[in-house]
Amino acid sequence: MTEQPTSHEGRQPLAARPQERTRPRAEAGSPVVPGATVPTPNGPPDMQDLGTARREGDRLRFVGAATRRIARGIDLDEIVLGLCRATVPTFSDAILVYLRDPLPVGDERPVAPFVLRLRRTDRLRLADESLDVTGFGAAAPMPVIDPHNDLTPAAELCEVRSGGALSEVLRGVRPVFGDSAAARAALPELLGADRTVPSGHRAILAPLRGRRRVIGAAVFLRRPDRPAFEPNDLLVAAQLATHTALGIDKAVLYGREAYIADELQRTMLPDSLPQPTGVRLASRYLPAAETARVGGDWYDAIPLPGSRVALVVGDVMGHSMTSAAIMGQLRTTAQTLAGLDLPPQEVLHHLDEQAQRLGTDRMATCMYAVYDPVSHRITIANAGHPPPVLLHLGGRAEVLRVPSGAPIGVGGVDFEAVELDAPAGATLLLYTDGLVESRLRDVWTGIEQLRERLAATAQLTGRDHAPPLEALCDDILDMLGPGDRDDDIALLAARFDGIAPSDVAYWFLEPEDAAPGRARRLARRALGRWGLEELSDAVELLVSEVVTNAVRYAERPVTLRLLRTDVLRCEVGDDSPQLPRQRRARDTDEGGRGLFLVNRLARRWGATRLSSGKVVWFELPTRV
């Protein structure tokens, strides 16, 4: 004989019990004829009990489906929409969802006063008796059912008075029927003055309580032609309210974390790229996923003395908030080292030491390049990063041969720098491995595809014209397929324009009293050769002041260089590391007004410390 399965209490399943009640035991010695009807003392099964069991089963299935729909939501709007769509019209004909404004986050203390804002309402169409659900945004009038006018606006804001009827219902947490004494006093306060549920309509008022506090309320409404809410429907409303409130709590926390991550990533990357002389720049950054916009990839362009610019691209292991924080520290360190005008290999060496101080598992790759528009040369050092690609003006794309080096953070590794030609019109592309490596292709296959894509794009613009820089970056990203986004992507493109030798004037001046006068004469001749005589008076005055200050502290020859591009730039270098500071001179002082004149007459000026001294520079517009 096969045993019936039993529950954990040792009893047979509920489904088998009605059958037991319809077949009582036969008395001893009485034969049972197969197929014969055995009389029962209780008569036929109670159909009312079966109907009740069926309704309870329907409720359980509804609650399961509704909670799953609510749980699918990620952000606040999706969760509230899930509640509305799950309950209308299956559970109610209309629903109003109020949420605290503003919603507290985590352990934050709620803002006083306690204000509820009508976040969303869904209702059943009454005009055509359709079963469609109509949602209204927060800016639209929010309706409730009215016997004379199907929908009448409800108040959008409700201030919960301390000790009031609505406050007491919310504090009680449990849902209540709309015809109860507590709800009859609370609903007008929630819906607004002189607004309540009309006679004959059924309602349930359910507080929404998160992990720590009440964050809102939901009102479920039924028309008179539908069955009234039953006591077990209060349990259904409680389940829906609990799942919704917990989901909203999680959504608010998730939104705060996403906001922090976005802000962290945004502040770690440059808001805009500089516009150094002789080079044009463009960049792109793509996170690994839209839902987690943080990562360890970064790029930077740092102006250096002598019209040079440092180009940096790096990649910290992982794409989490920790990786972004480490990336920010390394990027700040790189900017500081670049300001000291250290060679590229020395910058990587110090970055390696900094990564080791941050922790034993702080690994990153980095490419550091310095472009000089005057000499048309670029110096590159690599720390385990994919090699750069150079697109020549004629359309030829080549992968530069740069020593790979070890990643930053390994320690005890020497980095090597190489110096290469950077012809005018060429485009240097620095990128992270997310652009060329994925689950579907290895890194070298991706690099070859990138090189071919650059060459194909250059052919479209002809051999004598370089492709537009911004469009080139977009075209490069377009080569990514659906399975090619496994990692963050940082992209930095530099178009080398250079500075022609005819636009550069360079001299050495001995540190003597006659140096300022000689500097004025040399500057006047250069401006006459360039057709910029209208700038002579201002340039001579400023050059004289800056050279005089340099000669006062210099022990070696002072350098003077003029550069003509879209602006006129003057650079004066000396071997003194002390940077000049602008100060306000007193009426009795004989000096101290040089930098004040520079600040008033020049469009821009600055001073940069070098390993061998400093450079003071200023710029004047070439068109006045």
Side-chain angles (χ1 to χ4, degrees):
M1 181 176 180
T2 304
E3 296 183 357
Q4 294 288 339
T6 59
S7 66
H8 65 281
E9 297 177 352
R11 302 173 61 187
Q12 292 185 352
L14 294 176
R17 294 174 194 168
Q19 185 177 359
E20 293 174 359
R21 290 196 296 269
T22 61
R23 298 181 59 185
R25 294 180 180 177
E27 296 182 2
S30 300
V32 178
V33 179
T37 301
V38 180
T40 62
N42 297 330
D46 191 344
M47 300 305 295
Q48 185 176 358
D49 291 344
L50 292 177
T52 302
R54 185 179 300 109
R55 287 196 299 273
E56 293 305 317
D58 291 341
R59 282 193 181 94
L60 291 176
R61 285 189 291 272
F62 165 72
V63 170
T67 53
R68 285 193 299 270
R69 186 163 192 172
I70 295 170
R72 283 199 297 266
I74 296 178
D75 59 24
L76 181 62
D77 291 332
E78 289 180 348
I79 293 171
V80 175
L81 177 61
L83 171 65
C84 294
R85 295 294 169 84
T87 55
V88 178
T90 308
F91 183 69
S92 62
D93 296 312
I95 181 174
L96 295 93
V97 181
Y98 286 83
L99 295 181
R100 198 162 188 157
D101 187 27
L103 277 168
V105 181
D107 296 331
E108 288 183 357
R109 183 178 297 275
V111 178
F114 188 168
V115 176
L116 293 177
R117 179 182 293 274
L118 187 56
R119 183 77 183 194
R120 184 181 177 89
T121 177
D122 275 14
R123 65 177 177 84
L124 196 64
R125 290 187 190 273
L126 299 179
D128 55 3
E129 296 299 324
S130 170
L131 292 183
D132 293 337
V133 175
T134 302
F136 296 85
M142 299 304 178
V144 293
I145 295 178
D146 183 89
H148 305 294
N149 182 11
D150 284 339
L151 296 174
T152 185
E156 183 178 354
L157 289 178
C158 165
E159 182 175 342
V160 181
R161 299 187 301 271
S162 177
L166 180 58
S167 176
E168 293 299 322
V169 172
L170 296 180
R171 184 181 296 114
V173 178
R174 297 180 181 277
V176 294
F177 286 122
D179 56 358
S180 64
R184 283 199 303 269
L187 282 173
E189 183 180 346
L190 178 64
L191 303 179
D194 301 327
R195 296 186 178 97
T196 185
V197 178
S199 176
H201 291 71
R202 289 87 171 187
I204 290 179
L205 174 58
L208 302 179
R209 178 177 177 82
R211 283 182 291 273
R212 295 183 180 275
R213 61 185 65 87
V214 174
I215 60 174
V219 180
F220 303 94
L221 298 167
R222 278 186 186 176
R223 300 196 308 269
D225 56 345
R226 288 189 63 175
F229 288 115
E230 300 178 2
N232 285 343
D233 289 328
L234 292 179
L235 301 178
V236 174
Q239 286 288 329
L240 298 177
T242 299
H243 281 81
T244 301
L246 294 177
I248 290 173
D249 261 357
K250 293 178 182 178
V252 172
L253 286 173
Y254 173 80
R256 173 61 63 86
E257 291 181 358
Y259 170 78
I260 294 174
D262 268 348
E263 286 296 302
L264 177 63
Q265 185 69 42
R266 186 184 62 81
T267 54
M268 293 302 180
L269 296 175
D271 291 333
S272 60
L273 293 173
Q275 302 297 326
T277 302
V279 62
R280 286 172 287 168
L281 303 172
S283 63
R284 295 290 187 273
Y285 173 79
L286 292 179
E290 290 296 324
T291 55
R293 300 180 58 88
V294 291
D297 293 15
W298 90 91
Y299 61 87
D300 214 342
I302 309 167
L304 299 177
S307 298
R308 296 171 300 148
V309 60
L311 307 173
V312 190
V313 168
D315 183 4
V316 178
M317 291 178 56
H319 41 82
S320 62
M321 293 184 66
T322 302
S323 301
I326 297 171
M327 174 267 285
Q329 293 175 300
L330 294 180
R331 178 175 176 243
T332 302
T333 304
Q335 289 179 328
T336 303
L337 296 172
L340 300 176
D341 198 29
L342 297 177
Q345 65 272 22
E346 289 297 319
V347 171
L348 294 184
H349 175 73
H350 288 291
L351 284 177
D352 179 58
E353 292 181 339
Q354 175 66 12
Q356 293 179 68
R357 284 191 289 268
L358 294 176
T360 56
D361 57 346
R362 306 312 189 206
M363 305 283 289
T365 63
C366 183
M367 182 77 66
Y368 188 93
V370 175
Y371 170 64
D372 189 341
V374 177
S375 63
H376 296 267
R377 303 282 288 179
I378 185 168
T379 306
I380 306 176
N382 188 14
H385 206 75
V389 179
L390 185 66
L391 177 63
H392 292 270
L393 184 59
R396 181 173 63 92
E398 67 169 323
V399 180
L400 298 182
R401 295 183 177 180
V402 179
S404 59
I408 290 172
V410 173
V413 179
D414 291 332
F415 299 98
E416 182 181 354
V418 295
E419 187 174 350
L420 305 171
D421 288 329
T427 303
L428 182 69
L429 196 71
L430 304 178
Y431 53 90
T432 56
D433 58 358
L435 181 65
V436 294
E437 185 180 21
S438 70
R439 289 169 294 177
L440 304 179
R441 61 182 178 183
D442 61 82
V443 62
W444 289 108
T445 301
I447 292 174
E448 181 60 23
Q449 292 178 357
L450 173 62
R451 188 193 66 79
E452 294 174 353
R453 184 64 174 247
L454 289 172
T457 302
Q459 295 298 325
L460 300 176
T461 57
R463 299 182 59 84
D464 298 330
H465 298 84
L469 205 55
E470 296 290 342
L472 180 64
C473 291
D474 293 335
D475 189 69
I476 291 171
L477 296 181
D478 286 343
M479 77 176 192
L480 296 173
D484 294 337
R485 289 292 305 281
D486 299 332
D487 200 357
D488 306 342
I489 297 174
L491 176 65
L492 179 63
R495 174 71 45 77
F496 299 142
D497 293 332
I499 300 177
S502 58
D503 293 329
V504 181
Y506 192 85
W507 304 280
F508 287 96
L509 304 174
E510 292 296 330
E512 55 190 13
D513 294 341
R518 183 165 180 256
R520 290 194 296 269
R521 292 191 297 272
L522 294 173
R524 187 186 313 117
R525 293 174 189 172
L527 294 177
R529 187 168 64 252
W530 291 334
L532 299 176
E533 291 86 353
E534 67 274 10
L535 299 179
S536 294
D537 292 341
V539 172
E540 288 184 35
L541 175 60
L542 299 184
V543 164
S544 178
E545 294 294 339
V546 177
V547 171
T548 298
N549 189 71
V551 168
R552 181 177 303 171
Y553 302 101
E555 297 180 357
R556 298 179 181 177
V558 174
T559 61
L560 172 63
R561 185 164 74 168
L562 296 179
L563 303 171
R564 182 188 64 166
T565 55
D566 54 338
V567 297
L568 180 69
R569 182 182 177 97
C570 175
E571 300 173 349
V572 177
D574 61 73
D575 59 347
S576 174
Q578 182 178 358
L579 297 180
R581 302 295 181 188
Q582 182 182 352
R583 63 182 181 89
R584 183 176 295 276
R586 295 173 297 182
D587 295 339
T588 57
D589 292 343
E590 296 184 0
R593 298 177 177 83
L595 290 181
F596 176 78
L597 293 174
V598 173
N599 186 62
R600 292 298 298 271
L601 297 179
R603 190 183 74 169
R604 291 196 311 155
W605 76 279
T608 306
R609 184 178 284 109
L610 306 177
S611 57
S612 58
K614 68 175 180 295
V615 168
V616 180
W617 57 270
F618 63 85
E619 292 179 351
L620 292 172
T622 55
R623 295 178 179 86
V624 295

